[in-house]
């Protein structure tokens, strides 16, 4: 499989470090509010990556954190903890908020067919690990104490901006507009590993540490949680593109300083879902959640299809019109699959492997999901029997997760059964003739009479059918 690696800015052949396992890490949600569908775009594409790797025969271990402490309102180590903000907003405790929105996140994931990672670890579970890493960084001279906090010293690194397609000045978090400079920092990009002093003294969750009572910085969580479960190396680290800097840059800085060797080989970044007016937000404009999609009558799987139709390295613009188009595409696709005969012969293995080849090529080309979706139409057009086509859909859906066969079966179940009753059939014929003669009153009378007898007429392109109500 070829994957674009943000670290090298190239598509590279994916080769795992260990032949028997692919170690994958995903930055989890900050559970202070519902996930918006932009966040979920990242999780959908990461899910497709994991499922593709499994489909291609790899054994995958995937770990995800839940950020329930330390993610401040600004990425630049200033502002209030987002969890505390959420708790204040809802007059609840931080842990109540964390539990509620963690559950809500996984409920949304289930609706979108996003598999739960093998390990899910809340950040508040790993305080000892953070203290150990910070202690080691201090011992090795990569960290310093100032104004009560422990900072990572970025000047100790040969190279800090590892995803170096950015302009350094733009990235300098300490000097970003609207962000107050932290005078304790020796270098503008130094970041907090452990807080004991913050302007927001009412931080709810605090722990003892060798440097005083405090709480971890956000970045250290992912380094420690991944090492706890995946060891000292990793194959693929995932996240939304906004995480590349400063979050992932800082993760790499502290992890490699701690380990003394390279940490993660491939960095997979999903680009953003935007609205027509720009950045997706939880506070401005319409707060787009999975529940909102459902309230408006959309099957969440339609949103998954919408995401799959475009490449993960392109920004994607959400609009209701675009989602409507995906809904129509999905409905038509499912109708075509429903029209296939489940008893349509024996599976033709050669034809099936040819169809699979195209699908695999799409995945192997930097996870080209839109091409993988197109492969579904190749199946419909293929010169093979229905059993083979249905087998291909079942096979591809292990990765795509579009409920293809289950949705098609639902359509079949809702279709009128071909019942036959000479009297009713004769009445349907009479109604058809009345309609042909534009005798609408007679046609309606026949419909009403049948209704009174508990028979519903269903008009289809192949003529009228009926079923008992
Ligand atoms: P958070 O809950 O803020 O920690 O974000 C969870 C994930 O969603 C992270 O991987 C972010 O990079 C990602 N993310 C945030 N906004 C968007 C967006 N508009 N489109 C895609 N991914 C996003
Ligand atoms: Zn992370």
């Amino acid at each position: 499989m070829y994957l674009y690696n943000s670290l090298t800015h190239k598509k590279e052949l994916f080769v795992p470090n260990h032949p028997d396992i692919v170690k994958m890490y995903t930055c989890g949600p900050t559970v202070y509010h519902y996930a918006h569908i932009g966040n979920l775009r990242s999780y959908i594409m990461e899910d497709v990556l994991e499922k593709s790797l499994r489909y291609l025969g790899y054994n995958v271990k995937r770990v995800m954190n839940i950020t329930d402490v330390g993610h401040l309102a600004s990425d630049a180590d200033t502002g209030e903890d987002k969890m505390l903000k959420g708790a204040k907003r809802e007059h609840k405790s931080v842990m109540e908020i964390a539990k509620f929105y963690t559950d809500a996140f996984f409920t949304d994931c289930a609706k979108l067919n996003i598999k739960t990672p093998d390990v899910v670890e809340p950040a508040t579970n790993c305080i000892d690990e953070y203290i150990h890493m910070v202690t080691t960084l201090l011992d090795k001279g990569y960290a310093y104490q100032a104004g009560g906090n422990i900072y990572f010293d970025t000047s100790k690194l040969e190279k800090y901006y590892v995803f170096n397609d950015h302009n350094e000045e733009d990235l300098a978090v300490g000097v970003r507009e609207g962000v107050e400079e932290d005078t304790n920092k020796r270098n503008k990009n130094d970041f907090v590993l452990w807080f004991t002093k913050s302007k927001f003294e009412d931080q709810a969750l605090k722990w003892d540490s060798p440097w005083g009572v405090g709480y971890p910085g956000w970045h250290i969580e992912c380094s420690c949680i991944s090492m706890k479960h995946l060891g000292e190396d990793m194959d693929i680290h995932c996240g939304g593109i906004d995480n590349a800097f400063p979050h992932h840059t800082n993760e790499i800085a502290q992890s490699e300083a701690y380990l003394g060797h390279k940490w993660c080989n491939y960095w997979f970044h999903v680009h953003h879902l935007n609205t027509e007016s720009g950045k997706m937000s939880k506070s401005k404009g319409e707060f787009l959640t999975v529940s909102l999609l459902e309230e408006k009558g959309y099957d969440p799987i339609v949103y998954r299809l919408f995401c799959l139709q475009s490449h993960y390295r392109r920004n994607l613009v959400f609009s209701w019109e675009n989602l409507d188009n995906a809904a129509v595409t999905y409905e038509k696709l499912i109708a075509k699959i429903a029209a296939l005969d489940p008893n349509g012969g024996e599976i033709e293995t050669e034809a099936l492997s040819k169809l699979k080849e195209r699908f695999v090529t799409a995945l192997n080309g930097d996870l080209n999901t839109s091409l993988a979706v197109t492969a579904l139409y190749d199946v419909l057009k293929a010169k093979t029997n229905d059993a083979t086509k249905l087998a291909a859909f079942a096979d591809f859906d292990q990765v795509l997760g579009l409920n293809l066969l289950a949705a098609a079966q639902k359509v079949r179940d809702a279709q009128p059964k071909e019942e036959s009753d000479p009297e009713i059939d004769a009445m349907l014929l009479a109604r058809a003739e009345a309609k042909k003669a534009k005798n609408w009153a007679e046609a309606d009378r026949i419909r009403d009479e049948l209704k009174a007898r508990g028979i519903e007429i269903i008009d289809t392109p192949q003529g009228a059918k009926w079923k008992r109500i």
Side-chain angles (χ1 to χ4, degrees):
M1 180 181 221
Y2 277 83
L3 275 181
Y4 182 85
N5 187 354
S6 309
L7 206 54
T8 56
H9 315 293
K10 281 199 301 249
K11 279 188 208 170
E12 291 178 348
L13 182 66
F14 174 67
V15 184
N17 266 336
H18 308 271
D20 54 335
I21 188 112
V22 172
K23 301 188 199 179
M24 193 171 167
Y25 183 83
T26 300
C27 290
T30 309
V31 284
Y32 68 111
H33 216 320
Y34 292 106
H36 61 51
I37 59 172
N39 301 128
L40 290 160
R41 177 191 191 199
S42 286
Y43 295 110
I44 288 172
M45 302 317 285
E46 292 159 3
D47 178 67
V48 177
L49 174 61
E50 177 190 345
K51 287 175 177 165
S52 299
L53 290 165
R54 290 185 193 275
Y55 180 88
L56 296 170
Y58 292 106
N59 185 16
V60 180
K61 180 171 179 186
R62 180 155 168 228
V63 177
M64 183 170 89
N65 70 306
I66 297 289
T67 303
D68 54 1
V69 67
H71 192 174
L72 304 190
S74 146
D75 283 350
D77 298 335
T78 60
E80 204 171 5
D81 190 313
K82 289 188 180 189
M83 293 302 299
L84 193 61
K85 266 184 130 174
K88 282 185 185 164
R89 185 186 66 232
E90 300 187 18
H91 309 290
K92 290 192 182 134
S93 74
V94 164
M95 285 332 269
E96 279 169 339
I97 290 285
K99 162 119 189 52
F100 180 84
Y101 288 113
T102 302
D103 291 349
F105 173 73
F106 286 113
T107 303
D108 286 346
C109 286
K111 288 177 182 165
L112 293 164
N113 273 347
I114 298 170
K115 176 184 167 292
T116 303
D118 303 291
V119 178
V120 175
E121 182 84 273
T124 46
N125 269 2
C126 302
I127 302 302
D128 289 347
E129 282 83 352
Y130 311 142
I131 291 176
H132 171 74
M133 188 176 279
V134 176
T135 306
T136 309
L137 290 171
L138 281 163
D139 290 348
K140 286 186 157 192
Y142 283 106
Y144 59 91
Q145 194 161 5
N149 297 332
I150 310 294
Y151 293 86
F152 186 91
D153 186 348
T154 52
S155 71
K156 292 279 154 57
L157 301 176
E158 252 171 59
K159 193 173 179 198
Y160 169 64
Y161 292 105
V162 280
F163 302 110
N164 58 0
D165 50 353
H166 311 289
N167 172 348
E168 290 202 11
E169 282 310 307
D170 290 349
L171 292 178
V173 283
V175 295
R176 266 191 213 162
E177 217 181 312
V179 173
E180 218 176 296
E181 211 168 330
D182 179 347
T183 49
N184 291 321
K185 290 185 182 183
R186 289 184 191 161
N187 312 289
K188 61 184 192 290
N189 282 116
D190 291 357
F191 54 94
V192 177
L193 298 166
W194 185 269
F195 290 95
T196 65
K197 288 271 181 310
S198 134
K199 268 178 274 162
F200 296 91
E201 282 308 327
D202 55 349
Q203 172 74 10
L205 300 175
K206 292 184 194 183
W207 295 266
D208 266 337
S209 82
W211 319 286
V213 175
Y215 58 100
W218 170 39
H219 317 299
I220 196 108
E221 297 174 4
C222 290
S223 293
C224 291
I225 291 173
S226 78
M227 284 185 210
K228 178 175 174 185
H229 296 287
L230 297 172
E232 297 194 343
D233 70 307
M234 167 183 3
D235 295 299
I236 309 179
H237 193 309
C238 312
I241 189 70
D242 60 314
N243 280 169
F245 186 85
H247 184 49
H248 292 162
T249 305
N250 291 351
E251 278 187 43
I252 294 172
Q254 68 205 1
S255 296
E256 298 194 347
Y258 168 81
L259 292 168
H261 59 74
K262 187 162 185 189
W263 177 46
C264 174
N265 290 336
Y266 301 86
W267 288 80
F268 177 89
H269 286 123
V270 180
H271 285 242
H272 272 187
L273 179 80
N274 298 317
T275 59
E276 282 166 313
S277 57
K279 198 170 182 281
M280 184 144 306
S281 163
K282 296 187 186 189
S283 49
K284 279 180 270 152
E286 214 168 11
F287 182 3
L288 295 162
T289 59
V290 169
S291 312
L292 182 71
L293 300 188
E294 288 182 303
E295 273 165 35
K296 296 204 180 226
Y298 295 94
D299 177 348
I301 293 301
V302 164
Y303 177 65
R304 184 171 171 112
L305 173 63
F306 172 70
C307 290
L308 298 191
Q309 283 173 317
S310 77
H311 196 258
Y312 74 91
R313 283 196 298 114
R314 292 238 169 93
N315 285 342
L316 179 60
V317 175
F318 177 83
S319 70
W320 293 107
E321 197 186 342
N322 291 346
L323 191 64
D324 282 338
N325 290 337
V328 171
T329 303
Y330 187 65
E331 199 182 320
K332 283 189 182 160
L333 178 64
I334 297 300
K336 286 187 178 140
I337 300 173
L340 299 173
D341 180 0
N343 307 312
E346 296 272 310
I347 294 172
E348 296 169 350
T349 45
E350 212 171 293
L352 181 59
S353 44
K354 258 207 170 136
L355 290 169
K356 277 179 158 190
E357 243 170 61
R358 275 177 231 167
F359 184 67
V360 169
T361 305
L363 300 180
N364 279 344
D366 192 23
L367 206 71
N368 193 335
T369 50
S370 65
L371 207 60
V373 169
T374 311
L376 297 173
Y377 294 92
D378 294 338
V379 174
L380 287 168
K381 283 184 274 176
K383 289 196 176 73
T384 182
N385 62 17
D386 286 4
T388 310
K389 292 181 183 181
L390 287 166
F393 286 124
D395 186 68
F396 299 1
D397 215 26
Q398 294 173 68
V399 175
L400 301 178
L402 295 172
N403 292 346
L404 297 175
L405 295 197
Q409 190 54 45
K410 255 194 187 165
V411 170
R412 280 192 209 105
D413 292 343
Q415 273 163 1
K417 299 269 175 297
E418 292 279 347
E419 288 196 64
S420 172
D421 177 304
E423 193 191 346
I424 298 169
D425 290 346
M427 285 173 78
L428 280 193
L429 206 62
R431 175 173 169 269
E433 268 160 21
K435 279 173 85 173
K436 216 167 153 190
K438 297 198 167 35
N439 186 351
W440 310 118
E442 175 62 3
D444 286 349
R445 189 196 62 73
I446 296 173
R447 176 185 284 275
D448 291 345
E449 191 184 328
L450 283 171
K451 198 170 178 192
R453 291 203 212 171
I455 305 290
E456 186 189 347
I457 299 176
I458 295 126
D459 288 308
T460 76
Q462 292 78 37
K465 304 231 158 67
W466 60 271
K467 68 172 186 185
R468 292 183 202 281
I469 309 167

